[in-house]
Amino acid sequence: MNRTIQILYVILIFSLIPRVGNAQSSRTMSVEKIEICSIGKVFTPIQLSRFSWLELWISIGSRRSYITDKKDIDWIICNLEQSYKIEDLDYDVYSPAVKEIDVIGFIEYRPITPEIRGIMLLYVQNNPLPEIIWLNISTFDRKSARYQLSDDFWEYIHEL
């Protein structure tokens, strides 16, 4: 099993464990490498839950791009940090499902199923687990918020 798949499994396992506090922001730490993953040769939109997307990504092969050039990393981080925040989410990027309470008071969990184009993993210095960012059609989910994806940013990612 390659390192990326191992890391994604660890992230998914940790997503099921209650967390105390938040992961450190990439703004305060040095990003050493960025990995961008998608299914197939192009960032194909797929309407699946996050777990199902990862299973498909693992089973049929994946496209991966690694960014290690400091100038490119700085450009990406700058774009992420300056992106327009669309909304706060009821979940974070590590959540496999959204907790909902129906009118009677029963708790239900609904899988998170945006149209996923890919994931971006930010490998931060001295942090064993990367920060995960879910890439959607024209937005991305980071931490517990959804942001607008700029045209320049999407073009850059798409050309990798």
Side-chain angles (χ1 to χ4, degrees):
M1 187 182 299
N2 70 37
R3 179 139 172 83
T4 302
I5 293 171
Q6 289 173 338
I7 289 171
L8 289 172
Y9 274 129
V10 169
I11 289 171
L12 291 173
I13 289 168
F14 277 104
S15 72
L16 301 174
I17 300 171
R19 291 179 307 282
V20 178
N22 294 324
Q24 291 182 325
S25 169
S26 59
R27 184 186 306 204
T28 61
M29 299 191 74
S30 175
V31 174
E32 297 177 328
K33 174 175 75 170
I34 297 175
E35 182 176 2
I36 300 174
C37 308
S38 67
I39 293 175
K41 292 185 178 183
V42 193
F43 282 83
T44 307
I46 298 176
Q47 187 77 27
L48 294 171
S49 70
R50 290 178 175 177
F51 277 130
S52 298
W53 188 90
L54 286 173
E55 288 175 352
L56 181 63
W57 179 74
I58 291 167
S59 69
I60 68 169
S62 63
R63 177 175 183 255
R64 293 178 214 190
S65 298
Y66 297 95
I67 301 162
T68 56
D69 181 82
K70 182 68 173 150
K71 182 179 173 186
D72 291 338
I73 290 172
D74 289 345
W75 186 86
I76 289 171
I77 297 302
C78 181
N79 273 275
L80 290 174
E81 298 293 333
Q82 294 178 358
S83 294
Y84 175 74
K85 184 183 198 180
I86 298 171
E87 64 181 320
D88 289 317
L89 303 171
D90 294 336
Y91 53 89
D92 67 19
V93 294
Y94 302 101
S95 300
V98 177
K99 180 179 173 181
E100 292 183 343
I101 302 175
D102 66 11
V103 292
I104 303 174
F106 289 112
I107 296 174
E108 297 180 42
Y109 289 91
R110 174 178 53 86
I112 301 168
T113 58
E115 281 196 353
I116 299 168
R117 290 275 179 134
I119 57 174
M120 181 183 300
L121 301 171
L122 304 180
Y123 292 88
V124 179
Q125 183 178 12
N126 298 324
N127 194 345
L129 296 176
E131 177 184 349
I132 188 169
I133 297 172
W134 289 96
L135 302 171
N136 305 323
I137 298 285
S138 61
T139 62
F140 65 91
D141 293 352
R142 184 177 191 195
K143 298 180 180 145
S144 59
R146 180 161 291 145
Y147 297 88
Q148 182 66 43
L149 191 60
S150 74
D151 291 339
D152 291 341
F153 190 74
W154 181 251
E155 287 174 22
Y156 177 84
I157 291 173
H158 198 71
E159 290 176 3
L160 294 174

